[in-house]
Amino acid sequence: MIFTETKLKGAFIIDVKRLEDERGFFGRSWCQREFEEHVLTANVVQTNVSHNKIKGTLRGMHYQLSPYEETKLVRCTRGAIYDVIIDLRPESPTYKEWIGVELTADSFRMLFVPERFGHGFITLEDNTDVTYQVTQFYTPGAERGIRWDDPAFNIEWPIEPVLISEKDKVHPPYVNEFEPSTDGKQLV
């Protein structure tokens, strides 16, 4: 695998290193040892699949609070998405910065999303499927969201959304829930 760190420390674009011949190619999309060599959390406990019927479906921006923060390895397995992550770590030099990466089924490209990052995507084609491996079990009480158009981040989406869940439409304005309070405890 080919690991390329993004401007957001700890977030990587991962490409499949292809061994090609007349049949096509062979490559790895997951190797615990290679992830550990890059000091990336590799204890996958769950794999999620998202099927999206129409172009312009927006899902996000989602994250989980401590102690249920999750890393994600996101890959588009059919169609195409614009995948967005936001650094929500107050101690990070890239706090509140975001990146967007186009992931397509044809490219086999993946995005590694560290803990304490917001994550979401918009579909660029009808009938798009996304698979992501995560390092924590889904925990409803720890789930949080950020509005896709929150002015605190000014995300530049490549197309206007046409379908957003009611839940994702009503996320409140961003509040830093990862910053410790004055008594040393995490907010929330």
Side-chain angles (χ1 to χ4, degrees), residues 11-158:
F12 285 81
I13 295 170
I14 302 172
D15 290 296
V16 173
K17 185 175 182 180
R18 299 177 186 208
L19 302 172
E20 298 189 51
D21 63 22
E22 64 278 356
R23 298 168 295 174
F25 77 86
F26 175 86
R28 272 193 295 272
S29 63
W30 169 255
C31 176
Q32 182 176 348
R33 185 174 295 133
E34 287 186 54
F35 273 72
E36 289 172 350
E37 286 170 2
H38 286 85
V39 195
L40 303 177
T41 305
N43 60 327
V44 172
V45 298
Q46 188 171 292
T47 300
N48 303 318
V49 177
S50 170
H51 172 70
N52 305 274
K53 294 179 184 179
I54 64 170
K55 175 181 176 177
T57 299
L58 192 139
R59 295 181 184 258
M61 303 294 296
H62 304 139
Y63 62 96
Q64 289 193 166
L65 295 176
S66 180
Y68 306 104
E69 302 105 319
E70 58 191 359
T71 65
K72 298 177 183 178
L73 181 61
V74 183
R75 181 169 170 253
C76 182
T77 55
R78 180 168 62 163
I81 64 170
Y82 185 71
D83 205 25
V84 174
I85 58 175
I86 305 169
D87 186 345
L88 299 177
R89 304 169 298 181
E91 72 282 2
S92 171
T94 56
Y95 174 57
K96 292 175 66 175
E97 291 184 27
W98 64 273
I99 62 163
V101 178
E102 188 171 316
L103 303 178
T104 69
D106 293 339
S107 75
F108 295 89
R109 175 168 274 180
M110 298 169 281
L111 182 61
F112 178 82
V113 184
E115 293 178 346
R116 298 167 55 206
F117 272 60
H119 172 253
F121 63 85
I122 191 165
T123 59
L124 302 175
E125 297 179 12
D126 290 341
N127 294 310
T128 291
D129 296 335
V130 180
T131 299
Y132 41 105
Q133 297 169 285
V134 296
T135 58
Q136 287 287 339
F137 295 104
Y138 172 68
T139 308
E143 178 187 32
R144 295 293 187 273
I146 299 166
R147 281 185 52 93
W148 64 278
D149 60 353
D150 192 314
F153 306 103
N154 294 315
I155 297 169
E156 297 173 18
W157 297 95

Side-chain angles (χ1 to χ4, degrees), residues 155-167:
I155 297 169
E156 297 173 18
W157 297 95
I159 62 174
E160 282 296 313
V162 295
L163 183 60
I164 304 173
S165 73
E166 287 305 312
K167 182 174 160 183

